[in-house]
Amino acid sequence: MKKPLAYSYVRMSTDIQLKGDSLRRQTERSKQYADEHGLELVEDFRLEDIGVSAFKGDNVSSGALGKFLDAVKAGRIPKGSYLLVESFDRLSRQKLNASVSLFFDITSNGINLVTLSDNQLYKAGEAEFAQLIMSIVVMARANEESEMKSQRLSAAWDAKRRAVGEKKLTGLCPAWLELSEDRKNFHVVDDRAQVVRRIFEDSASGQGSFVITRRLNDSGVQAFGRSTGWVQSYVTKILQARAVLGEFQPHTKQNGKRVPLGDPIPDYYPQIVDENLFLRAQFARGKRRIEGGGRKGGALRNLFTHLATCGYCGSPMHFLNKGVGPGGGTYLKCSHALRGLDCVPTAWRYQDFERSFFLFVKEIDLAEMLRASSQKSEVLILDERAVALAEKKSELELKRERTYALIDDGAISVEFLTTKLRECEAELASVEHQIADVDRQRQEIREQQSISPDELRVLIDQLQQMEGPEAFSQRSMLATRLREIVTELKLEVQGSRPRQGKAAALLDAADIDPQERSQILDLIERSDREAQRYNRSFSVVLADGVSRRVVLKNDDPASFVAEVLVGKDGAISGSDRGMPIGWSDGWDNVFDEPVSV
């Protein structure tokens, strides 16, 4: 005759109890009971809720006990099986109605319940009156004990929070800090704090967690704690930690998940990272999440990743490395054409484009962007301040939206949330005022600055000849700054030439004489060549609304045929073959596709 199945359920409030004898004791009791009563103990179906609360019912809603009940109701566990528990308080510490409901949910679904501590068997659907009374008393007592424990813990933590200025809530702290013996203060571990600041600086300059981790390990920087080396997940955790700003966010558990409890406590820890640097790092990380980061090589050669697109089809320009030799070098080529699809297959030598870009997009101050951080000019400091304020504004707007959501939820008083919203709106107004002030200062300084063409060429040479770790750091920073400043960059590798195909298609559709068709196309060809419409060109749109289009000489990346600027107010200026350009010169659509047909 086949033995009935028995399942042993183990629940412990914390894994500290595992260090004692609790798990072994419960397991051995289950085996002994099964042997003595002719049951087959199922050991490959592990019913363990370690660190899962029975007071809040998490073991039923999301734990192993809930999964067991689901399996019973689905028929995967046969009726007449046994559930072995040490005592009722292992099953539930909820209020009495929930605990009694759980008891009947088990037994009414055909499961025999056994409490090993008193050797009681509660048969499926046949529990005796005296047994029920005893079980109710035990479950009520378990809830009262848990309720009292919860109240005591809550009161203890409330008292700790009220005395936070006198004594710290817990000895646990970030790895760059240590608690004083009197538990009143945290002390900064200077060498670790320096490492953390460098991590944030690298992140703000455009380096991702993978690259930062590799640098730390390659440089032999000692990892925090007992780890033998740095890992990417820990670097990311540091970059997310507002503890570097001095904040401490208390947490609590809800439905088995760790959730924030109340507002963060400011100035709880010593601040080791400036808020501007923290916000710039968050902004850079956000840009990488949206645009994609990628694991970059040692030189970070392409400054225009996620920026440069084909002016004909809109596809990204792919960075192509052909190696060394006469036909080698690096190029930008339409990714559409690279896959053999219908677009211009001609490539643009990368160094030529980089030189042209920095020579002619005068709104981008390469001299300021290449300054070492120790020699930051006023305008670069203002640029970084602008990025930090923009990220701060985004954080406040998100906070405001979350507050609105709480009003809709109705769980918190409207008066309290109204106060929070007013505080948020006041902070937002202050930040917006600061953004406007910084923008004004940046504009005033830039209007006063100038650099000679020769000085700019020297800077570009230095940038392109730079090698080693310094090159990676500088170019990472530069690439990040470009993504902040530039919103659109289109490259037309053959100028207006791609439109020639459309002209031919129009003539074919008109069904004209082949000889006449050939003459018209030859005329268009000569006209385009004389007007230099086949010359490479690019257009750029900046975040402040200024736009620029440059038509270059094909044999000299440092010379142009036409240079057109559209200001914030829409006014057009520039030069075409040495002649000034104004409103009446037919450049109304200078940023559209090439217009030659």
Side-chain angles (χ1 to χ4, degrees):
M1 183 176 179
K2 192 174 181 180
K3 294 180 180 180
L5 301 179
Y7 298 82
S8 175
Y9 175 65
V10 177
R11 190 197 64 78
M12 302 177 196
S13 57
T14 66
D15 61 359
I16 293 175
Q17 291 170 279
L18 291 171
K19 296 177 182 178
D21 211 30
S22 182
L23 180 59
R24 184 196 59 79
R25 184 185 67 248
Q26 293 185 58
T27 303
E28 287 189 355
R29 279 187 174 180
S30 296
K31 288 180 179 178
Q32 183 179 351
Y33 186 91
D35 290 342
E36 291 177 353
H37 294 82
L39 308 177
E40 181 182 345
L41 186 63
V42 179
E43 298 189 57
D44 58 356
F45 191 116
R46 297 182 67 84
L47 277 171
E48 294 180 2
D49 280 324
I50 309 299
V52 180
S53 174
F55 176 52
K56 297 179 180 178
D58 295 342
N59 59 332
V60 178
S61 61
S62 58
L65 182 60
K67 293 176 182 177
F68 173 80
L69 286 172
D70 290 341
V72 169
K73 294 171 184 177
R76 295 194 298 273
I77 293 177
K79 295 183 182 298
S81 298
Y82 287 70
L83 180 63
L84 313 181
V85 300
E86 187 172 42
S87 59
F88 275 120
D89 62 357
R90 298 296 182 189
L91 284 178
S92 177
R93 287 179 171 267
Q94 293 180 277
K95 292 187 180 298
L96 191 57
N97 57 345
S99 296
V100 172
S101 176
L102 174 62
F103 173 84
F104 282 113
D105 201 18
I106 294 170
T107 57
S108 64
N109 277 285
I111 301 299
N112 300 300
L113 181 60
V114 176
T115 52
L116 299 171
S117 59
D118 54 7
N119 212 36
Q120 287 291 311
L121 169 62
Y122 300 84
K123 290 185 177 181
E126 299 180 15
E128 297 177 1
F129 180 75
Q131 280 186 310
L132 288 177
I133 295 298
M134 182 57 67
S135 67
I136 289 172
V137 170
V138 172
M139 287 185 281
R141 187 175 65 217
N143 175 254
E144 288 172 2
E145 290 174 353
S146 291
E147 188 73 47
M148 184 63 70
K149 181 180 178 182
S150 176
Q151 290 175 2
R152 286 173 179 169
L153 285 171
S154 179
W157 273 96
D158 286 343
K160 283 184 177 183
R161 290 189 183 97
R162 287 193 298 271
V164 71
E166 302 168 12
K167 197 172 185 178
K168 297 305 177 184
L169 300 176
T170 173
L172 297 175
C173 64
W176 55 87
L177 301 174
E178 56 185 13
L179 184 64
S180 62
E181 290 185 6
D182 60 6
R183 298 179 64 86
K184 291 184 178 181
N185 296 291
F186 289 106
H187 300 307
V188 176
V189 182
D190 289 331
D191 58 342
R192 291 188 171 188
Q194 289 175 12
V195 172
V196 172
R197 282 190 284 269
R198 176 65 189 277
I199 288 172
F200 274 90
E201 287 165 359
D202 286 348
S203 177
S205 74
Q207 298 180 35
S209 296
F210 172 80
V211 174
I212 296 171
T213 304
R214 185 177 62 185
R215 177 189 63 77
L216 290 168
N217 287 324
D218 289 347
S219 303
V221 177
Q222 182 66 43
F224 300 166
R226 292 171 292 184
S227 176
T228 56
W230 289 87
V231 292
Q232 185 177 349
S233 59
Y234 187 63
V235 170
T236 301
K237 184 177 180 181
I238 288 175
L239 289 168
Q240 293 171 337
R242 294 186 65 88
V244 297
L245 300 175
E247 291 184 10
F248 172 66
Q249 176 64 69
H251 285 78
T252 186
K253 273 198 170 183
Q254 291 182 5
N255 298 323
K257 294 182 180 180
R258 192 167 177 265
V259 296
L261 179 63
D263 292 332
I265 301 173
D267 304 319
Y268 180 82
Y269 300 120
Q271 182 174 351
I272 66 165
V273 171
D274 175 78
E275 186 182 28
N276 279 354
L277 176 57
F278 180 87
L279 291 170
R280 286 192 292 115
Q282 305 315 307
F283 177 84
R285 293 181 67 243
K287 292 277 285 184
R288 286 177 63 80
R289 281 194 297 272
I290 294 169
E291 298 169 348
R295 300 182 177 184
K296 298 181 174 62
L300 201 152
R301 286 163 290 189
N302 185 11
L303 298 178
F304 306 100
T305 302
H306 308 303
L307 279 180
T309 59
C310 175
Y312 309 122
C313 71
S315 300
M317 296 297 287
H318 181 80
F319 184 78
L320 190 63
N321 188 350
K322 295 187 177 181
V324 296
T330 54
Y331 299 83
L332 292 174
K333 184 173 181 178
C334 172
S335 57
H336 208 65
L338 197 65
R339 290 183 287 135
L341 302 176
D342 184 25
C343 196
V344 176
T346 307
W348 194 328
R349 184 175 288 275
Y350 177 81
Q351 282 199 319
D352 288 351
F353 175 72
E354 186 176 273
R355 176 173 292 273
S356 299
F357 181 87
F358 286 116
L359 279 174
F360 298 117
V361 184
K362 299 178 177 65
E363 294 76 17
I364 294 177
D365 193 336
L366 182 61
E368 295 298 337
M369 294 170 74
L370 289 178
R371 284 181 185 271
S373 58
S374 59
Q375 299 175 323
K376 283 181 183 174
S377 66
E378 185 178 357
V379 70
L380 190 53
I381 292 171
L382 286 170
D383 285 348
E384 291 179 348
R385 176 69 175 151
V387 171
L389 286 169
E391 183 65 19
K392 183 73 173 179
K393 181 181 177 183
S394 297
E395 286 187 358
L396 288 170
E397 287 173 340
L398 180 59
K399 182 179 178 181
R400 180 175 60 184
E401 291 304 314
R402 287 173 175 168
T403 306
Y404 280 129
L406 289 173
I407 291 176
D408 294 337
D409 186 54
I412 304 176
S413 72
V414 174
E415 291 79 13
F416 175 79
L417 293 175
T418 301
T419 302
K420 287 291 182 185
L421 274 174
R422 285 173 180 163
E423 291 174 359
C424 190
E425 293 290 356
E427 284 188 83
L428 263 172
S430 174
V431 168
E432 287 171 349
H433 177 75
Q434 292 176 64
I435 289 173
D437 187 52
V438 167
D439 285 343
R440 178 186 56 78
Q441 293 180 60
R442 291 159 79 195
Q443 185 62 30
E444 289 176 357
I445 292 173
R446 286 203 168 98
E447 287 173 356
Q448 298 169 6
Q449 288 184 330
S450 64
I451 181 172
S452 71
D454 288 340
E455 289 173 323
L456 183 55
R457 287 186 176 91
V458 170
L459 282 174
I460 294 171
D461 288 339
Q462 291 174 353
L463 172 67
Q464 295 188 335
Q465 294 167 12
M466 207 177 288
E467 294 181 355
E470 180 188 1
F472 182 86
S473 178
Q474 287 276 27
R475 293 181 74 84
S476 291
M477 176 273 295
L478 198 54
T480 299
R481 294 286 290 117
L482 286 175
R483 288 197 294 273
E484 295 167 8
I485 296 169
V486 177
T487 58
E488 185 178 286
L489 177 59
K490 293 182 178 180
L491 279 64
E492 292 141 6
V493 185
Q494 292 183 352
S496 304
R497 190 172 183 176
R499 301 287 290 190
Q500 194 82 347
K502 293 189 177 182
L506 288 172
L507 292 173
D508 290 340
D511 194 25
I512 65 172
D513 180 75
Q515 186 176 357
E516 185 178 355
R517 173 186 180 280
S518 178
Q519 290 173 347
I520 294 173
L521 289 177
D522 287 344
L523 179 63
I524 293 173
E525 174 84 5
R526 287 198 304 273
S527 173
D528 283 347
R529 288 195 183 282
E530 289 171 4
Q532 296 177 290
R533 295 191 185 101
Y534 288 169
N535 288 41
R536 291 173 182 156
S537 59
F538 69 89
S539 57
V540 58
V541 180
L542 306 179
D544 61 2
V546 173
S547 305
R548 185 180 288 274
R549 178 179 173 84
V550 181
V551 180
L552 298 160
K553 290 185 177 179
N554 282 339
D555 57 353
D556 185 0
S559 299
F560 69 91
V561 174
E563 183 184 30
V564 187
L565 176 70
V566 179
K568 295 179 184 178
D569 57 357
I572 299 177
S573 60
S575 171
D576 182 11
R577 297 164 189 81
M579 299 295 291
I581 292 174
W583 277 104
S584 61
D585 294 321
W587 282 85
D588 297 51
N589 298 312
V590 290
F591 294 100
D592 294 342
E593 290 185 62
V595 296
S596 174
V597 295

